[in-house]
Amino acid sequence: MDRSEAGKRILHLRAVLAENSRRYYVDNAPVISDYEFDTLMKELTDLEDMYPEFITPDSPSRRPGSDLEAPVGQNAERLAGKEFKQYPHRYPMLSLGNTYSISEVEEFAERAVKTVPEGFTYSCELKFDGTAICLTYKDGVLFRALTRGDGVVGDDVTANALRISNIPRVLKGSGYPAEFEIRGEVLMPFASFEALNAAREDIGEQPFANPRNAASGSLKLLDPEEVGRRGLICTLYHIPGGLEGVSTHSDALDAAASWGLPVSDKRRICKDIAEIEEYISYWDTHRKGLPYATDGIVIKINESLYQQRLGYTAKFPRWAVAYKFKAERALTTLESIDYQVGRTGAVTPVANLSPVLLAGTVVKRATLNNEDFMRMLDIRTGDWVYIEKGGEIIPKITGVELSRRPAGAAVPAFPEVCPDCGTPLVKPEGEARWFCPNQDGCPTQTKGRLIHFMSRKAMNVIAGDATVEQLYNLGLVRTPADLYSLGMQQLLMLDGWKEKSARRFLDSLRGSLSVPFERVLFALGIRYVGETTAKEIARHFGDIDSVASATREALLEVPDVGDVIADSVVAFFAQPAHIAEIVRLKDAGLQLGAQAPREPSSEALQGLTIVISGNFSVSRDRMKELIEMNGGKNSSSVSSHTSFLLAGSKPGPEKIRKAGELGVRVIGEEEFMSMIPSPAPSGEVRGLFDGEEAEPTLF
Ligand code: IVH
């Protein structure tokens, strides 16, 4: 490559890297893998090293990425100007030089040996894959929490940090400096990530690509209560400036741990490259058993004095390097693409692949997200494609091996009409996805809504997708209200159904008549109205008629409800078909809040804040309900405000530890039950099912 070609390539790489950096840090929705990003960055730095005359201070190779810019169309409140306050970092928040090869780790060690006297040690640590945070403690109390921002200025997320269960507001023990900073990573454990994505899909929202994006999106939420519900954790790994009188990084972290700060116990002090390699290969395997994502290991010179001597480049410390694990990747062929319609009408392209083994499971299908993503990959049917497990969970296509493209491979045409009902697709403003607008006539959307209506967290009617398919195909059911007109005769028409299965189904439908209003509201499947929002709206308005006639302004008064949700609720009830459906559901006897909202049945727990953990003889949701019915408040994390921790079998060890530390009392199920009046058995419900004679026929 000559000088002028290099200049052009540098400009191109900078533009591509800047765009992908924005997608990663700001939108929390990366479209290329870390490995691809790092490879492009390496090409840029190599070219800049070769042609230093092209170096500019604003090149992405000289600056860490920034999470400061407001995401486009992602958060209406943020656009309305309610952003976070910003503060400068006391020490710039830099990134780490990274490598994917052991030989470069060796080079790092050799460079260090040349600069500092022999006999130093390395602190080897996991590289946690979350979002960076910087905590400042003053006189032992959390004073401020900042995101990385652009490395110089960060967003003040203190209120959110205080909702992260293992970040202490107050330090314990003694000997901490009057003021100090400690940095680390906020992570979303896999379990919280899966629960969050399931809930998002329930309300038709795009799931997060991986736990890292979910963590960084959650840390930047404007509602600290919601942050508390996201199940984030924090791990701390760096005290910029060190601690006075403490000569190594590892001793400084041990001291931090003794003050109650969350520091990883997976650190190891290594004395040479052989020990470093041992640590790397151990964790390359064992990290798969960790409950959170890691993407490599970090090797740091442990002695503070030597760290100072080695210093920093504009972007990285010279005393540390990250060795990144390659995401497990497989190469296979793209056989065809299906276009799936969800219950909200969103059309998602899904790749059918030649089956291939990846990270322990056989992968046959992978998501292609949306049309823009397909175009960005320039994917063709018959292509050889790379697949990775995003955050080790959801398989996705990360690239195309162009050198193996078969001649004449066809560019797939994204459908212009719904693959199910043939209605022309639409792309609403600000959406990356195409939608089928035929909400009421599109079979897949109709079946999807029925499946959602009957799901466990909604009406909890025992029925699989196959039952819905049959009920739909026989023309027995189109809307939820149709379910309540079903009788024995119709159900016996279903393939393989006998009286016993039909009765069980009818019993389950009858049971759903006592499902409280808030869950019925969730079951209706109003776009963006998830479980929590439905609860808030139900509590605020008390009954369905008030919700249906609420104005946008009235809805905005409900906690958790912003512009997007308010508009969606208003639009839902503006449709006469939906009002007619509500009337039928009322007639069927569903709880639509016509009676006064449920009052606490006693005040036995008035003023008490209770955290529950573990398993009980009844479901955890039932336990929470009992707490609320008796005037108590549920909270998800143990803090100094917790009245007691209600522990069942197998309680979370972290909660127990925290309770012990803060002197919070731990009680068992039996003691709890003795504190409240015995719960009434669930009330009998009148219904169509009481006698066979009441059974209506559809034909
Ligand atoms: S030390 C001066 N230690 O990875 C930089 N960073 O890709 C000091 N990270 O910016 C950072 N685990 O956000 C350090 N054990 C660890 C880490 C770690 C994850 C993050 C951190 C850093 C990024 C670089």
PDB file of all heavy atoms in Angstrom, residues 94-96 98 125-128 132 148 184-185 237-238 298 300 312 317 319, ligand 1:
ATOM      1  N   LEU A  94      -8.922   5.673  31.486  1.00  0.00           N
ATOM      2  CA  LEU A  94      -8.371   5.163  30.237  1.00  0.00           C
ATOM      3  C   LEU A  94      -8.831   3.738  29.977  1.00  0.00           C
ATOM      4  O   LEU A  94      -9.466   3.102  30.810  1.00  0.00           O
ATOM      5  CB  LEU A  94      -6.844   5.219  30.291  1.00  0.00           C
ATOM      6  CG  LEU A  94      -6.268   6.611  30.549  1.00  0.00           C
ATOM      7  CD1 LEU A  94      -4.760   6.539  30.664  1.00  0.00           C
ATOM      8  CD2 LEU A  94      -6.669   7.581  29.452  1.00  0.00           C
ATOM      9  N   SER A  95      -8.448   3.296  28.799  1.00  0.00           N
ATOM     10  CA  SER A  95      -8.789   1.935  28.422  1.00  0.00           C
ATOM     11  C   SER A  95      -7.538   1.070  28.601  1.00  0.00           C
ATOM     12  O   SER A  95      -6.539   1.538  29.148  1.00  0.00           O
ATOM     13  CB  SER A  95      -9.254   1.995  26.974  1.00  0.00           C
ATOM     14  OG  SER A  95      -9.661   0.751  26.560  1.00  0.00           O
ATOM     15  N   LEU A  96      -7.591  -0.164  28.128  1.00  0.00           N
ATOM     16  CA  LEU A  96      -6.421  -1.044  28.240  1.00  0.00           C
ATOM     17  C   LEU A  96      -5.968  -1.469  26.855  1.00  0.00           C
ATOM     18  O   LEU A  96      -6.807  -1.712  25.988  1.00  0.00           O
ATOM     19  CB  LEU A  96      -6.794  -2.322  29.003  1.00  0.00           C
ATOM     20  CG  LEU A  96      -6.957  -2.248  30.500  1.00  0.00           C
ATOM     21  CD1 LEU A  96      -7.493  -3.576  31.023  1.00  0.00           C
ATOM     22  CD2 LEU A  96      -5.607  -1.952  31.157  1.00  0.00           C
ATOM     23  N   ASN A  98      -5.020  -4.084  24.261  1.00  0.00           N
ATOM     24  CA  ASN A  98      -5.410  -5.482  24.329  1.00  0.00           C
ATOM     25  C   ASN A  98      -4.783  -6.316  23.219  1.00  0.00           C
ATOM     26  O   ASN A  98      -4.337  -5.807  22.210  1.00  0.00           O
ATOM     27  CB  ASN A  98      -6.921  -5.631  24.357  1.00  0.00           C
ATOM     28  CG  ASN A  98      -7.570  -5.104  23.116  1.00  0.00           C
ATOM     29  OD1 ASN A  98      -7.133  -5.400  22.021  1.00  0.00           O
ATOM     30  ND2 ASN A  98      -8.613  -4.301  23.290  1.00  0.00           N
ATOM     31  N   GLU A 125      -5.832 -10.919  36.669  1.00  0.00           N
ATOM     32  CA  GLU A 125      -7.236 -10.788  37.070  1.00  0.00           C
ATOM     33  C   GLU A 125      -8.141 -11.123  35.915  1.00  0.00           C
ATOM     34  O   GLU A 125      -7.718 -11.083  34.765  1.00  0.00           O
ATOM     35  CB  GLU A 125      -7.510  -9.320  37.471  1.00  0.00           C
ATOM     36  CG  GLU A 125      -6.588  -8.852  38.547  1.00  0.00           C
ATOM     37  CD  GLU A 125      -6.634  -7.338  38.743  1.00  0.00           C
ATOM     38  OE1 GLU A 125      -7.523  -6.684  38.174  1.00  0.00           O
ATOM     39  OE2 GLU A 125      -5.775  -6.847  39.469  1.00  0.00           O
ATOM     40  N   LEU A 126      -9.379 -11.373  36.223  1.00  0.00           N
ATOM     41  CA  LEU A 126     -10.352 -11.569  35.153  1.00  0.00           C
ATOM     42  C   LEU A 126     -10.652 -10.226  34.521  1.00  0.00           C
ATOM     43  O   LEU A 126     -10.624  -9.189  35.190  1.00  0.00           O
ATOM     44  CB  LEU A 126     -11.647 -12.156  35.720  1.00  0.00           C
ATOM     45  CG  LEU A 126     -11.521 -13.562  36.283  1.00  0.00           C
ATOM     46  CD1 LEU A 126     -12.845 -13.999  36.896  1.00  0.00           C
ATOM     47  CD2 LEU A 126     -11.119 -14.525  35.171  1.00  0.00           C
ATOM     48  N   LYS A 127     -10.939 -10.251  33.242  1.00  0.00           N
ATOM     49  CA  LYS A 127     -11.399  -9.038  32.576  1.00  0.00           C
ATOM     50  C   LYS A 127     -12.917  -9.140  32.500  1.00  0.00           C
ATOM     51  O   LYS A 127     -13.463  -9.972  31.768  1.00  0.00           O
ATOM     52  CB  LYS A 127     -10.783  -8.923  31.188  1.00  0.00           C
ATOM     53  CG  LYS A 127     -11.161  -7.645  30.486  1.00  0.00           C
ATOM     54  CD  LYS A 127     -10.270  -7.422  29.301  1.00  0.00           C
ATOM     55  CE  LYS A 127     -10.642  -6.249  28.432  1.00  0.00           C
ATOM     56  NZ  LYS A 127     -11.931  -5.653  28.558  1.00  0.00           N
ATOM     57  N   PHE A 128     -13.559  -8.342  33.321  1.00  0.00           N
ATOM     58  CA  PHE A 128     -15.015  -8.414  33.453  1.00  0.00           C
ATOM     59  C   PHE A 128     -15.662  -7.675  32.289  1.00  0.00           C
ATOM     60  O   PHE A 128     -15.247  -6.560  31.961  1.00  0.00           O
ATOM     61  CB  PHE A 128     -15.438  -7.810  34.794  1.00  0.00           C
ATOM     62  CG  PHE A 128     -14.800  -8.518  35.953  1.00  0.00           C
ATOM     63  CD1 PHE A 128     -13.645  -8.022  36.538  1.00  0.00           C
ATOM     64  CD2 PHE A 128     -15.327  -9.708  36.423  1.00  0.00           C
ATOM     65  CE1 PHE A 128     -13.035  -8.690  37.586  1.00  0.00           C
ATOM     66  CE2 PHE A 128     -14.725 -10.381  37.474  1.00  0.00           C
ATOM     67  CZ  PHE A 128     -13.570  -9.874  38.060  1.00  0.00           C
ATOM     68  N   ALA A 132     -17.810   0.290  32.696  1.00  0.00           N
ATOM     69  CA  ALA A 132     -16.919   0.809  33.738  1.00  0.00           C
ATOM     70  C   ALA A 132     -17.621   1.826  34.637  1.00  0.00           C
ATOM     71  O   ALA A 132     -18.515   2.564  34.201  1.00  0.00           O
ATOM     72  CB  ALA A 132     -15.699   1.442  33.086  1.00  0.00           C
ATOM     73  N   ARG A 148     -17.719   6.025  32.639  1.00  0.00           N
ATOM     74  CA  ARG A 148     -16.477   6.424  31.975  1.00  0.00           C
ATOM     75  C   ARG A 148     -16.686   7.714  31.175  1.00  0.00           C
ATOM     76  O   ARG A 148     -15.828   8.577  31.128  1.00  0.00           O
ATOM     77  CB  ARG A 148     -16.017   5.324  31.020  1.00  0.00           C
ATOM     78  CG  ARG A 148     -14.768   5.695  30.255  1.00  0.00           C
ATOM     79  CD  ARG A 148     -14.597   4.846  29.009  1.00  0.00           C
ATOM     80  NE  ARG A 148     -14.580   3.443  29.343  1.00  0.00           N
ATOM     81  CZ  ARG A 148     -13.504   2.814  29.803  1.00  0.00           C
ATOM     82  NH1 ARG A 148     -12.378   3.463  29.952  1.00  0.00           N
ATOM     83  NH2 ARG A 148     -13.558   1.542  30.100  1.00  0.00           N
ATOM     84  N   GLY A 184     -14.160   0.117  38.736  1.00  0.00           N
ATOM     85  CA  GLY A 184     -14.484  -1.274  38.452  1.00  0.00           C
ATOM     86  C   GLY A 184     -15.518  -1.371  37.365  1.00  0.00           C
ATOM     87  O   GLY A 184     -15.653  -0.457  36.543  1.00  0.00           O
ATOM     88  N   GLU A 185     -16.232  -2.453  37.397  1.00  0.00           N
ATOM     89  CA  GLU A 185     -17.155  -2.768  36.315  1.00  0.00           C
ATOM     90  C   GLU A 185     -18.526  -3.094  36.895  1.00  0.00           C
ATOM     91  O   GLU A 185     -18.612  -3.792  37.907  1.00  0.00           O
ATOM     92  CB  GLU A 185     -16.582  -4.010  35.606  1.00  0.00           C
ATOM     93  CG  GLU A 185     -16.955  -4.135  34.187  1.00  0.00           C
ATOM     94  CD  GLU A 185     -16.047  -3.359  33.223  1.00  0.00           C
ATOM     95  OE1 GLU A 185     -15.157  -2.585  33.670  1.00  0.00           O
ATOM     96  OE2 GLU A 185     -16.263  -3.509  32.022  1.00  0.00           O
ATOM     97  N   TYR A 237     -11.646  -3.063  40.668  1.00  0.00           N
ATOM     98  CA  TYR A 237     -10.335  -3.612  40.341  1.00  0.00           C
ATOM     99  C   TYR A 237      -9.206  -2.604  40.232  1.00  0.00           C
ATOM    100  O   TYR A 237      -8.111  -2.950  39.835  1.00  0.00           O
ATOM    101  CB  TYR A 237     -10.400  -4.421  39.052  1.00  0.00           C
ATOM    102  CG  TYR A 237     -11.156  -3.729  37.914  1.00  0.00           C
ATOM    103  CD1 TYR A 237     -10.709  -2.524  37.381  1.00  0.00           C
ATOM    104  CD2 TYR A 237     -12.315  -4.290  37.387  1.00  0.00           C
ATOM    105  CE1 TYR A 237     -11.389  -1.893  36.354  1.00  0.00           C
ATOM    106  CE2 TYR A 237     -12.999  -3.672  36.349  1.00  0.00           C
ATOM    107  CZ  TYR A 237     -12.536  -2.465  35.840  1.00  0.00           C
ATOM    108  OH  TYR A 237     -13.206  -1.847  34.830  1.00  0.00           O
ATOM    109  N   HIS A 238      -9.461  -1.342  40.568  1.00  0.00           N
ATOM    110  CA  HIS A 238      -8.377  -0.375  40.356  1.00  0.00           C
ATOM    111  C   HIS A 238      -8.569   0.834  41.264  1.00  0.00           C
ATOM    112  O   HIS A 238      -9.652   1.415  41.290  1.00  0.00           O
ATOM    113  CB  HIS A 238      -8.404   0.057  38.878  1.00  0.00           C
ATOM    114  CG  HIS A 238      -7.367   1.078  38.523  1.00  0.00           C
ATOM    115  ND1 HIS A 238      -6.047   0.951  38.877  1.00  0.00           N
ATOM    116  CD2 HIS A 238      -7.453   2.233  37.803  1.00  0.00           C
ATOM    117  CE1 HIS A 238      -5.368   1.989  38.409  1.00  0.00           C
ATOM    118  NE2 HIS A 238      -6.197   2.781  37.759  1.00  0.00           N
ATOM    119  N   VAL A 298      -6.686  -9.641  32.655  1.00  0.00           N
ATOM    120  CA  VAL A 298      -5.875  -8.424  32.675  1.00  0.00           C
ATOM    121  C   VAL A 298      -4.614  -8.730  33.467  1.00  0.00           C
ATOM    122  O   VAL A 298      -4.689  -9.340  34.543  1.00  0.00           O
ATOM    123  CB  VAL A 298      -6.649  -7.254  33.323  1.00  0.00           C
ATOM    124  CG1 VAL A 298      -5.803  -5.982  33.303  1.00  0.00           C
ATOM    125  CG2 VAL A 298      -7.964  -7.025  32.609  1.00  0.00           C
ATOM    126  N   LYS A 300      -1.390  -7.043  35.249  1.00  0.00           N
ATOM    127  CA  LYS A 300      -0.925  -5.735  35.722  1.00  0.00           C
ATOM    128  C   LYS A 300       0.391  -5.904  36.464  1.00  0.00           C
ATOM    129  O   LYS A 300       0.542  -6.877  37.210  1.00  0.00           O
ATOM    130  CB  LYS A 300      -1.941  -5.126  36.706  1.00  0.00           C
ATOM    131  CG  LYS A 300      -3.310  -4.940  36.117  1.00  0.00           C
ATOM    132  CD  LYS A 300      -4.311  -4.504  37.183  1.00  0.00           C
ATOM    133  CE  LYS A 300      -5.694  -4.371  36.557  1.00  0.00           C
ATOM    134  NZ  LYS A 300      -6.746  -4.166  37.548  1.00  0.00           N
ATOM    135  N   TYR A 312       1.801   6.094  31.482  1.00  0.00           N
ATOM    136  CA  TYR A 312       0.681   5.924  30.552  1.00  0.00           C
ATOM    137  C   TYR A 312       1.009   6.446  29.160  1.00  0.00           C
ATOM    138  O   TYR A 312       1.796   7.369  29.031  1.00  0.00           O
ATOM    139  CB  TYR A 312      -0.517   6.759  31.045  1.00  0.00           C
ATOM    140  CG  TYR A 312      -1.078   6.279  32.350  1.00  0.00           C
ATOM    141  CD1 TYR A 312      -0.517   6.685  33.568  1.00  0.00           C
ATOM    142  CD2 TYR A 312      -2.179   5.443  32.371  1.00  0.00           C
ATOM    143  CE1 TYR A 312      -1.035   6.244  34.775  1.00  0.00           C
ATOM    144  CE2 TYR A 312      -2.710   5.005  33.578  1.00  0.00           C
ATOM    145  CZ  TYR A 312      -2.139   5.401  34.776  1.00  0.00           C
ATOM    146  OH  TYR A 312      -2.661   4.967  35.958  1.00  0.00           O
ATOM    147  N   PRO A 317      -2.571   2.477  30.115  1.00  0.00           N
ATOM    148  CA  PRO A 317      -1.431   2.378  31.027  1.00  0.00           C
ATOM    149  C   PRO A 317      -0.356   1.486  30.391  1.00  0.00           C
ATOM    150  O   PRO A 317      -0.706   0.553  29.663  1.00  0.00           O
ATOM    151  CB  PRO A 317      -2.021   1.697  32.261  1.00  0.00           C
ATOM    152  CG  PRO A 317      -3.230   0.975  31.786  1.00  0.00           C
ATOM    153  CD  PRO A 317      -3.723   1.678  30.552  1.00  0.00           C
ATOM    154  N   TRP A 319       1.554  -0.190  32.285  1.00  0.00           N
ATOM    155  CA  TRP A 319       1.797  -1.217  33.300  1.00  0.00           C
ATOM    156  C   TRP A 319       0.739  -2.327  33.283  1.00  0.00           C
ATOM    157  O   TRP A 319       0.717  -3.173  34.178  1.00  0.00           O
ATOM    158  CB  TRP A 319       1.875  -0.588  34.699  1.00  0.00           C
ATOM    159  CG  TRP A 319       0.781   0.420  34.983  1.00  0.00           C
ATOM    160  CD1 TRP A 319       0.883   1.767  34.869  1.00  0.00           C
ATOM    161  CD2 TRP A 319      -0.573   0.156  35.401  1.00  0.00           C
ATOM    162  NE1 TRP A 319      -0.315   2.373  35.172  1.00  0.00           N
ATOM    163  CE2 TRP A 319      -1.219   1.405  35.514  1.00  0.00           C
ATOM    164  CE3 TRP A 319      -1.286  -0.998  35.694  1.00  0.00           C
ATOM    165  CZ2 TRP A 319      -2.553   1.519  35.905  1.00  0.00           C
ATOM    166  CZ3 TRP A 319      -2.622  -0.885  36.081  1.00  0.00           C
ATOM    167  CH2 TRP A 319      -3.230   0.370  36.183  1.00  0.00           C
TER     168      TRP A 319
HETATM  169  S1  IVH B   1      -7.813  -2.116  35.076  1.00  0.00           S
HETATM  170  C1  IVH B   1      -6.175   2.237  33.443  1.00  0.00           C
HETATM  171  N1  IVH B   1      -8.852  -4.444  35.481  1.00  0.00           N
HETATM  172  O1  IVH B   1     -11.717  -3.335  30.534  1.00  0.00           O
HETATM  173  C2  IVH B   1      -7.119   1.127  33.179  1.00  0.00           C
HETATM  174  N2  IVH B   1      -9.866  -3.078  33.821  1.00  0.00           N
HETATM  175  O2  IVH B   1     -11.050  -2.955  27.726  1.00  0.00           O
HETATM  176  C3  IVH B   1      -7.328   0.325  34.405  1.00  0.00           C
HETATM  177  N3  IVH B   1     -11.854  -4.086  32.773  1.00  0.00           N
HETATM  178  O3  IVH B   1     -11.188   0.108  30.738  1.00  0.00           O
HETATM  179  C4  IVH B   1      -8.309  -0.748  34.167  1.00  0.00           C
HETATM  180  N4  IVH B   1     -11.842  -5.961  33.914  1.00  0.00           N
HETATM  181  O4  IVH B   1     -13.310  -0.978  31.938  1.00  0.00           O
HETATM  182  C5  IVH B   1      -8.928  -3.322  34.761  1.00  0.00           C
HETATM  183  N5  IVH B   1      -9.672  -6.540  36.018  1.00  0.00           N
HETATM  184  C6  IVH B   1      -9.765  -5.430  35.296  1.00  0.00           C
HETATM  185  C7  IVH B   1     -10.781  -5.223  34.335  1.00  0.00           C
HETATM  186  C8  IVH B   1     -10.786  -4.027  33.604  1.00  0.00           C
HETATM  187  C9  IVH B   1     -12.476  -5.262  32.994  1.00  0.00           C
HETATM  188  C10 IVH B   1     -12.337  -3.107  31.779  1.00  0.00           C
HETATM  189  C11 IVH B   1     -12.082  -1.659  32.099  1.00  0.00           C
HETATM  190  C12 IVH B   1     -11.119  -1.224  31.031  1.00  0.00           C
HETATM  191  C13 IVH B   1     -11.549  -2.100  29.893  1.00  0.00           C
HETATM  192  C14 IVH B   1     -10.555  -2.189  28.784  1.00  0.00           C
END
